[in-house]
Amino acid sequence: MNSRSTQQALTQSRAGLRATARASFVRWIDGVIQRLETFTATPPWAQPPRGGCAESAITMPGFADGFLARLSGRGEAATEQPRARTGRHLRMTLAVADADDEFLRVMQRACGGRRLIRYAAGAPLLAEAKAARSVSGTAPWDAALITLGLPDLNGTTAIAQMRALHPGLCIWATVGVEESHTLIGAICAGADGYIVKNFAPGSAAMDLGALDQDQRPLGRKLAVSLLQLAGDSLWSREPSIQSLPPLADGFTRTQLQLLRLIARGDSIAVAGERMSLVEGDANMLVRQIYAVLQSPQRRDRVPEALREQVRARMAGGREDIEIR
């Protein structure tokens, strides 16, 4: 082999070594990027807190995003402004005020990517809500589930206080059975919806999905009670500033039609189809019905009227009135 061919072989060998080194460096950089992305996906401030209390939202500068951009060649970090990053919004945070261990275990299995923060009583939940209001003005959770059977407070009272503290927070009530008089009281107090405790993870997951999509439930018993309250028999028709007008004065014909179909056994979706409503309009009607119940002039009087009706029915031995 002459000197020229020897020099060519050495040149090719050096080129191969440089290519191998370059490929190795690129693989190393890719590994660094992957490790950084994995770290920033679940930063320390987004980890579940110890002791069962919600953490305040922590704002950190977005330095990792700029560093990753420089490494991967996707942009110049020098021209980017730091971006706020809060652990609270990395996944849905749901406060659950309930002392029922079995129900909490079911909810934990069904929570998916949500983060559940448990409060075994109502007082710690309200204390956390008050502290958050004074510090940041916003709730430390994305939604709250408050049972009507709290060990220390009346659940309806807790819902009303929570609604006053954080008017924009999604609040649902949880109940053991679908009793219309307790549910209507909770809705009038400010509950956006309710979950009837079900110990099947599949059903619990469906309930949480409905909460995420703001698909407020409305059962048959509730619809029957509302239709009865909308009648003329509960309140006198004579004008009086002191008396509450019949609910029919607050409901539209479309809302009453939806109530009537649900009272006969239809689901919200089926009732919407029968009424030829566009998808989502039936759930919007349910939200409107809840808003009627939450109006100031009905907030106290409607639950009391329903309780009077239930007491009268029990005293007379009457069964639920069927809607014809």
Side-chain angles (χ1 to χ4, degrees), residues 62 87 97 129 177 198 227 261:
V177 293
N198 192 311
L227 284 171
L261 290 173

Side-chain angles (χ1 to χ4, degrees), residues 68 92 180:
L68 288 173
M92 182 176 179
S180 56

